[in-house]
Amino acid sequence: MKAPMDMIHPLAQEYAEKFTSAPDGVLDELEAQTRSIHPQAHMISGKVQGRFLEMISCMMQPKRILEIGTFTGYSALCLAKGLRKDGQLHTIEVRESETVMAKSYFDLSVWRDQIILHHGNALSIIPELNELWDIVFIDADKVHYIDYYNLVLPKLRPGGVIIADNVLFHGQVLEDPVKGKNAKAMQAFNEYVSNDDSVEKVLLTVRDGILLIRKK
């Protein structure tokens, strides 16, 4: 079968957005700017997923957050809302244009001194970060999800969470057989985490699929 690009029915998505708290002005502006100029604007987290990330962060009150895949900065700003006053959010983006855009919006936020933006290859940068993570958000190149997971899990505190985005990959993981490099990578990642007894996990059908992983 050919899977649809939108896993969630547009009416259900519209209904969810209606009953979700509105984002602040900076996030609205960032989303509008991203959608107006970026050819891959669909990658932005958006209102419902953004609020989900914000709520997880606010409930956990993290001291250290790692985001792998900044894009234009929307999800980082959502996650930053739960940071403690002495907390930091490290975010990594490989593409320079997205790094520049994200930084311009970080500089407008109240968390500008708490968000540390890294430009480069996450596989090289993550081992250099000597931190104990409370929350890790993975939303970068799909073929390296397992690599990212294995790099961050030892540095995740017990009770800490990993949030992995795009685990349904536009519904392509539902195909039999699974086709395409990215869909195969996401299927492999989902199976890999499923077989890891050191964590608890729940796959949520939010947007393009979120795998919420808690370290025991």
Side-chain angles (χ1 to χ4, degrees):
M1 73 174 184
K2 183 174 178 55
M5 286 298 292
D6 294 319
M7 287 294 298
I8 308 301
H9 193 285
L11 289 178
Q13 181 64 27
E14 182 179 334
Y15 190 84
E17 291 182 4
K18 178 181 178 181
F19 291 98
T20 296
S21 299
D24 61 35
V26 172
L27 287 174
D28 276 339
E29 180 183 335
L30 173 53
E31 181 170 11
Q33 177 74 353
T34 301
R35 295 194 185 282
S36 68
I37 68 171
H38 203 290
Q40 295 177 303
H42 64 277
M43 292 169 56
I44 198 166
S45 288
K47 181 179 179 181
V48 174
Q49 180 172 305
R51 277 294 184 178
F52 171 78
L53 295 174
E54 176 187 330
M55 284 199 172
I56 293 291
S57 183
C58 288
M59 286 188 289
M60 294 187 65
Q61 294 287 291
K63 187 173 182 180
R64 290 293 184 269
I65 301 173
L66 174 63
E67 178 183 56
I68 307 170
T70 312
F71 193 47
T72 56
Y74 191 102
S75 52
L77 289 172
C78 293
L79 287 164
K81 291 190 177 183
L83 279 173
R84 301 180 195 175
K85 290 183 178 180
D86 61 344
Q88 290 182 339
L89 185 152
H90 291 258
T91 182
I92 305 170
E93 176 56 51
V94 70
R95 291 176 290 198
E96 185 174 2
S97 59
E98 277 83 344
T99 303
V100 172
M101 184 172 177
K103 187 178 187 308
S104 70
Y105 281 92
F106 294 162
D107 288 345
L108 294 174
S109 78
V110 298
W111 304 284
R112 56 185 171 274
D113 296 326
Q114 293 177 273
I115 299 176
I116 301 172
L117 179 56
H118 304 267
H119 174 227
N121 187 325
L123 294 175
S124 301
I125 293 171
I126 293 170
E128 297 176 354
L129 301 177
N130 186 25
E131 301 285 359
L132 183 64
W133 306 113
D134 299 297
I135 298 174
V136 177
F137 181 45
I138 304 177
D139 187 16
D141 54 320
K142 311 311 166 192
V143 296
H144 288 302
Y145 264 44
I146 292 177
D147 297 322
Y148 297 141
Y149 180 79
N150 285 329
L151 280 174
V152 301
L153 188 61
K155 296 183 176 182
L156 185 72
R157 68 164 175 84
V161 300
I162 297 172
I163 307 168
D165 198 11
N166 302 116
V167 293
L168 294 177
F169 203 74
H170 314 303
Q172 293 177 28
V173 295
L174 305 179
E175 295 181 352
D176 187 16
V178 177
K179 302 173 184 176
K181 178 180 68 174
N182 289 327
K184 287 180 178 179
M186 295 314 303
Q187 177 68 16
F189 172 74
N190 294 337
E191 291 177 349
Y192 188 85
V193 176
S194 178
N195 291 323
D196 186 352
D197 292 333
S198 72
V199 297
E200 297 172 331
K201 46 268 179 181
V202 56
L203 199 156
L204 305 172
T205 53
V206 175
R207 190 169 166 266
D208 195 30
I210 291 175
L211 190 57
L212 186 61
I213 306 160
R214 179 182 179 274
K215 188 174 183 179
K216 294 179 181 178

